[in-house]
Amino acid sequence: MAKIRNLAACALNRLQKESQLEIPEARIEIRALLRHALGDASPAWLIAHGEDTIGEETRHHFELLLQRRMQGEPVAHILGQREFYGREFAVTPDTLIPRPDTETLVEVALGKIPQAKEFHILDLGTGSGAVAISIALERPHASIVAVDRSHPALVVAQNNGTRLGANNVRFIESDWFSALNNQSFDLIVSNPPYIAQDDIHLQQGDLRFEPLSALASGADGLADIRRISASARRYLNPQGWLMMEHGYNQADKVAEILHQDQYHNIMTIADLAGHGRVTMGQKD
């Protein structure tokens, strides 16, 4: 029987060589898989019990999980969940896997939402519901509508909302604004598709396992951002904000789109890596 620490070190070496992941990222993934194999052990338990030996059944379970990851399957799909903004969200192949970059969108949105005042928010393309639910739980006085055109994704989002107690979110099946009729909002947020449809990264890594419709958007990746920008003013209250996540090198183009659609006070907020990640504009 192997010690937990030795098993983790061996698995890290194998995964890093097979997947070409950077060592810090590979280490995080190995720990997540090992904790799952050990019955969802806490990170602290894993550190404290590194010298413990692992039973054959548990070792075999871990090996199966590791093999799935080495074949390219995302850890979020293997475990069925992903942490986002300090909470665990269920994910499936029907949803985009929530990423740390998108926490910037949540932070920027929270900066515009009053702490204890009624405020109406729309989340376009909610996927797993990570953005809408995170905002809802941080601002319980706000009212959030979360839409997605994918019914399977909405089921995941609704289940996440129920499990996490986000009672101030309403989920609607809608292709962007199509099912919203005459509703209006103080803030519209979106993490839309923004990768060019012929980008080679779509055939690499975790992206191969995620819904293409949640990733790719036209020849330059900006087709859905243009569509959202052009339509959002109709659904925004006076002085309302539109904010959208985008690629690390798209900030200037997104700002120009908002300018052409007559938004004001346009600005871009950087993510933790220093890349322009969220661009927003205000209706007059």
Side-chain angles (χ1 to χ4, degrees):
M1 293 189 293
K3 292 182 178 180
I4 291 176
R5 193 186 313 278
N6 294 340
L7 183 66
C10 179
L12 173 64
N13 185 54
R14 291 168 60 194
L15 178 61
Q16 199 276 327
K17 287 183 177 179
E18 181 70 24
S19 65
Q20 301 302 310
L21 290 172
E22 296 294 331
I23 288 180
E25 185 177 358
R27 182 177 289 114
I28 290 171
E29 294 194 353
I30 289 299
R31 288 175 178 169
L33 295 176
L34 190 52
R35 286 173 54 206
H36 185 71
L38 288 164
D40 294 324
S42 70
W45 188 96
L46 199 63
I47 294 171
H49 293 263
E51 295 301 315
D52 289 5
T53 56
I54 192 168
E56 184 60 28
E57 183 177 344
T58 301
R59 190 203 63 76
H60 180 65
H61 184 199
F62 174 67
E63 179 64 27
L64 293 177
L65 297 176
L66 180 61
Q67 286 295 330
R68 289 172 63 183
R69 181 61 186 118
M70 290 174 64
Q71 291 167 9
E73 189 175 353
V75 168
H77 289 173
I78 296 171
L79 304 183
Q81 62 186 23
R82 181 66 171 259
E83 181 183 348
F84 181 83
Y85 214 74
R87 302 176 179 94
E88 295 290 346
F89 286 84
V91 295
T92 75
D94 294 309
T95 67
L96 198 67
I97 298 171
R99 289 170 168 81
D101 289 342
T102 304
E103 293 186 359
T104 303
L105 179 62
V106 174
E107 288 286 352
V108 176
L110 292 175
K112 296 295 182 183
I113 305 170
Q115 285 277 0
K117 180 182 176 182
E118 186 176 354
F119 202 79
H120 298 281
I121 304 160
L122 171 64
D123 176 27
L124 290 169
T126 197
S128 67
V131 170
I133 293 168
S134 297
I135 291 173
L137 293 173
E138 297 294 326
R139 296 290 187 271
H141 291 278
S143 175
I144 299 97
V145 172
V147 307
D148 205 291
R149 68 180 181 182
S150 166
H151 180 74
L154 275 181
V155 171
V156 175
Q158 288 172 325
N159 289 339
N160 278 327
T162 299
R163 179 174 52 82
L164 292 169
N167 301 318
N168 50 334
V169 185
R170 183 162 54 100
F171 297 94
I172 298 176
E173 188 171 334
S174 178
D175 183 6
W176 298 134
F177 301 95
S178 64
L180 295 179
N181 299 318
N182 295 319
Q183 297 182 63
S184 60
F185 304 90
D186 301 302
L187 171 65
I188 298 175
V189 300
S190 185
N191 176 21
Y194 53 74
I195 301 176
Q197 60 190 13
D198 60 352
D199 192 308
I200 60 172
H201 294 94
L202 293 170
Q203 307 303 321
Q204 300 174 357
D206 289 358
L207 299 186
R208 296 171 296 163
F209 294 83
E210 297 179 84
L212 185 62
S213 61
L215 295 167
S217 183
D220 62 355
L222 297 171
D224 285 294
I225 285 176
R226 291 190 183 93
R227 182 179 174 188
I228 291 169
S229 176
S231 301
R233 286 176 57 85
R234 173 185 167 189
Y235 298 89
L236 278 171
N237 292 325
Q239 307 303 310
W241 288 90
L242 168 64
M243 55 183 64
M244 296 179 286
E245 179 177 334
H246 49 72
Y248 74 96
N249 60 352
Q250 294 175 323
D252 290 345
K253 293 179 180 178
V254 175
E256 179 58 29
I257 291 169
L258 291 174
H259 177 74
Q260 292 175 354
D261 289 331
Q262 301 182 351
Y263 293 87
H264 303 282
N265 298 322
I266 298 167
M267 63 190 79
T268 296
I269 308 299
D271 59 23
L272 291 176
H275 300 130
R277 184 60 62 181
V278 175
T279 297
M280 57 184 175
Q282 188 176 28
K283 179 179 177 180
D284 52 20

